[in-house]
Amino acid sequence: DYQVMSWPKKDLEAHIAFMIGFAKKLGAAGELVGAEGLASPSQAKLVRAGNDGKPVTDGIFPETKEFLAGYWIVQVDSAERAYQIAAEASAAPGVGGAPLNMGIEVREVMSGPPKDHDA
């Protein structure tokens, strides 16, 4: 399910300490807008409105290989800086302290339609 929960306690604590320190570092630099860790995929539900407007849920989805474990919203001057931040997050320690080198998806937060959008 959520592999990090099966890590040895010291490795999990080191990982969490890295994430807390990383958020503090981004905050001190004035780059952190927000960050949250998310519950495991076993707690996820897909929700849509039914014909009567009431919520219809589906899930759990154990076949999912990739999932969103959390997110950071940063405000930076360039895409290159966002990539540097993502690379640093990617190297968070895993079991035995080895860098995870996990994939980090980087996207711009949209404040309106794209500039090339035909109106």
Side-chain angles (χ1 to χ4, degrees):
D1 180 39
Y2 206 33
Q3 292 179 1
V4 71
M5 298 312 290
S6 66
W7 290 1
K9 184 178 178 183
K10 68 178 179 64
D11 293 330
L12 180 58
E13 289 172 347
H15 182 76
I16 291 170
F18 172 90
M19 292 300 180
I20 291 169
F22 185 62
K24 285 181 181 179
K25 177 181 172 181
L26 292 173
E31 295 174 319
L32 183 65
V33 175
E36 296 293 337
L38 300 173
S40 78
S42 67
Q43 297 178 26
K45 297 286 185 200
L46 179 64
V47 179
R48 71 186 81 220
N51 291 336
D52 59 2
K54 293 182 180 175
V56 176
T57 62
D58 193 10
I60 303 168
F61 306 100
E63 71 281 357
T64 301
K65 289 195 249 178
E66 297 176 349
F67 58 90
L68 184 62
Y71 64 88
W72 297 273
I73 298 177
V74 297
Q75 185 169 358
V76 294
D77 293 330
S78 67
E80 289 72 25
R81 177 62 186 138
Y83 302 152
Q84 290 169 347
I85 290 169
E88 187 174 346
S90 172
V95 176
L100 290 173
N101 296 329
M102 59 190 155
I104 304 289
E105 184 175 332
V106 177
R107 290 198 227 174
E108 184 176 348
V109 174
M110 299 299 292
S111 59
K115 291 180 171 97
D116 61 351
H117 179 73
D118 292 329

